[in-house]
Amino acid sequence: MTPQAESTALREQIRRHERLYYVYDAPEISDADFDALMRRLQTLEAEHPELITADSPTQRVGGTPRAGLAKAAHSAPLQSLDNAYSEAEVRDFDRRVRAANGGEPAAYVAELKLDGLSMAITYVAGQLSRGLTRGDGRTGEDVTENLRTIHSLPLLVAAEHRNAAGLPADFEVRGEVLMPRAAFQRLNQEREDEELARFANPRNAAAGAVRVLDARITAARRLDFYGYALLAEGRSLLASQAETMTALAAAGFKTSRWKLCPDIEAGIEFIAACERDRDALPFEIDGVVLKVNAEPLREKLGATGKFPRWAVAYKFAARQAVTRVRAIAMSVGRTGALTPTAELDPVAVGGVTVSRSTLHNLDEIARLDVRPGDWVRIERSGDVIPKVLEVDLSHPRGEQAFEPPARCPVCGSGVHREPGEVVLRCVNANCPARLKESLHHFARRGVMNIGGLGPALIDQLVDSGRVRDLAGLYENVDAAMLAGLERMGAKSAANLMAEIERSRGAELWRVLYGLGIRFVGERTAQVLAAHFGSLDAVAAAPAEVLENVAEVGPVIARSIQTFFSEPANRELISRLQRAGLDPHQQPAAAAALPLAGQTFVLTGTLEHHTREEMKASILAAGGKVSGSVSAKTSYLIAGSDPGSKLAKAQELGITVLDEAGAEALLAEAQAPPEAKAPPEAKA
Ligand code: IVH
């Protein structure tokens, strides 16, 4: 099946099961099977962002996303660039340009070729009014709301700056949206924590972020924008590319490294310098663009059907290499998941020596049909982790197909594969490998930040039986014990003790994140901390309450509840609390919202809103939504054909609102305090 066909089929299946679950309250499959379908779709969409549709169930994400992306025509087509793969091809390009320039050398502007997505952004009266993706080059998709979340993109270019830059009130900027490397690594870490598929490269991650229907997701992805063209009424605004770049910077746009080159030699030098500095840049580039500087010469050169004749993209060689797979090893993560890794003959790839590459899971091994002893082509692209692209069949094949292990390679316990999952897991909750990974996660930067607690030390602490769980770090580790360990001087022991002491005062979200609850990444931990304010409050929250916290879906809610209902975990929490780790914070954000503490039940058919929309508005105002009427219900919102819930609410004397009443209540909840009036109740 093609990815396209598979994603279409998955969407249909998921929609049907969602209807069965949310609308008819009559699920046909288990939650785990449902999650597996959803995860498979998310993986496909992560790998092929172009397959994401506006109505994909993955785009719901508990907010008020728009219905779809509108399309609009570009003021002038967005062309692509002709490529050059060698110096000779660059010189060929220059020869053609010189021929059009009466045989004279032409000046070029050399710019980085940013590996992102091109955008056309219109400003009206200096205000950002519309942003379009490239689309098919003539028509793009309207992603204005998403682009607005990019902090480096000016929402307004004030008259003062327009004047300084020589810009009219209405103009268009073209340029590239990209995801900086740091944001990309952070996003992938988050996705790994939440057991979602990693994005293969920043470009795919940016493409997904730009096209989602919920701008809050774009915002969380920390994109950046760099300009490289200025137009007015579909025509180039200024007389040269150098003036364009200068004007963009003066108007407050980011521009990437560029240089005015008097001739092609200078351009070729710039290319070499950029290739050298490539790894030091905060974002990915895939080459250098050479553009004729002067507008009149550009016009003379014109364009072919596809590309302008006045520009060329010199593409850097892909950072690939071929090497031999020594073995396929299995490592055990903190959830017990066994991840296969290809151990490779060390090989240089774009200046970095690579000796390992992840194979992700058993399906990936099967897809690649990779065996120990095979030669493989690997690539470094954006991700620090190199990827195995394919088996190189010009070398002899490895003898034996890879056999998935029947036992955990670390503790020898059995392994288990959930139906519908591609992951093998060690069944032993106390597997030392899991404990080591849990400690590593807990201590790492960005979580509890315990400097000095590295893998070698964790190995010693766990293997010697001194630390048997996270709390053991606080209960059993002291300077005297540390000083007795290998390669541990008195000074390092004292430093580590100071770090452990300091970590007792960590914020609540760090502790929640550090516990390693499945699907609870940094962001979810922060949301939970802000909402509940203490470990005890999170631990006591039933799944329905957790689910009603913005951004926490049913899967995460269930995982959190399962974690805290486990007696061993409760015990662990108490011991951590006794060790002084019991951060409290004011759950201010939620309490301050107008509908905080109010519970709503929806019934019947609404005319102007879907239930999802109504639910999202209630949640956004701090209210909760429950599935059944009880004495705790504050309001029943009844549409047409309300059924038994209405009778029950009336019996209990609960306020019943019709759709208009609910709208009024929600409008009031969003209005400033002085505009408040009580909503009208339905008789
Ligand atoms: S100029 C007609 N400048 O490369 C000129 N493009 O392969 C159009 N790109 O779709 C583009 N960095 O997304 C230009 N400094 C740069 C660029 C750049 C990246 C992308 C752009 C375009 C693609 C063409």
Side-chain angles (χ1 to χ4, degrees), residues 154 156-158 161-162 164-165 167 171 230 246-253:
L156 174 72
V157 181
H161 293 116
R162 293 202 305 271
L167 297 184
F171 60 93
L230 269 172
T246 310
L248 281 168
F253 293 91

Side-chain angles (χ1 to χ4, degrees), residues 79-81 111-114 118 134 176 228 289 291 308:
Q79 293 170 304
S80 63
L81 292 165
E111 299 168 16
L112 302 181
K113 186 165 189 312
L114 308 164
S118 45
R134 179 171 190 279
E176 205 81 351
Y228 50 64
V289 187
K291 299 176 180 174

Side-chain angles (χ1 to χ4, degrees), residues 300-322:
K300 196 162 173 200
L301 281 155
T304 69
K306 283 196 209 151
F307 325 114
R309 288 200 191 84
W310 47 260
V312 73
Y314 174 85
K315 297 285 276 279
F316 297 145
R319 297 199 274 194
Q320 296 185 349
V322 172

